[in-house]
Amino acid sequence: MENFNPKLAAWLKNEPAKEAGINNIQIPGKTENVIWQNRYREPTRYEQDLVAHLEQAFAAGAYELEELVSALNGQGLRNEAGEVWTTSNFQDEMARLGY
């Protein structure tokens, strides 16, 4: 079973298909169910760590941007560049990751 949707990577450019439904016609009872419909690749270790730390921050009651940034820094998590979190780079990272 796939951990991501391999067809999604082709759609990332937001360009409409030139041919409608080519090789994508679903036959009832014979359609493969892709669990991760909205992932074009598996998450990186960094992304998984970020999710885990965000879950801890939310569980501890951090809901505002400044609280989340403070919680991530307090937990010792750094961004992918190894820098401490700021409200600006956190917002940039969420936009980059598509959340």
Side-chain angles (χ1 to χ4, degrees):
M1 182 177 307
E2 297 283 347
N3 288 321
F4 62 95
N5 184 347
K7 292 184 178 183
L8 190 59
W11 301 336
L12 290 177
K13 296 180 184 176
N14 293 326
E15 295 175 8
K18 294 183 170 85
E19 301 160 351
I22 299 299
N23 297 324
N24 287 308
I25 296 174
Q26 296 181 0
I27 300 170
K30 295 185 180 184
T31 302
E32 180 186 0
N33 182 20
V34 179
I35 293 174
W36 302 103
Q37 292 288 329
N38 61 346
R39 289 199 318 204
Y40 67 94
R41 61 170 174 77
E42 290 188 66
T44 65
R45 179 80 252 160
Y46 160 74
E47 292 167 344
Q48 292 173 0
D49 289 345
L50 177 57
V51 168
H53 283 81
L54 284 172
E55 287 175 345
Q56 289 177 2
F58 287 131
Y63 301 110
E64 300 298 326
L65 177 60
E66 292 81 13
E67 295 170 335
L68 289 171
V69 167
S70 178
L72 292 176
N73 287 327
Q75 294 170 19
L77 182 72
R78 300 296 179 248
N79 67 14
E80 201 165 29
E83 303 166 339
V84 296
W85 291 101
T86 65
T87 56
S88 179
N89 69 16
F90 180 82
Q91 289 175 309
D92 291 344
E93 188 67 345
M94 291 299 103
R96 181 184 77 82
L97 293 172
Y99 297 109

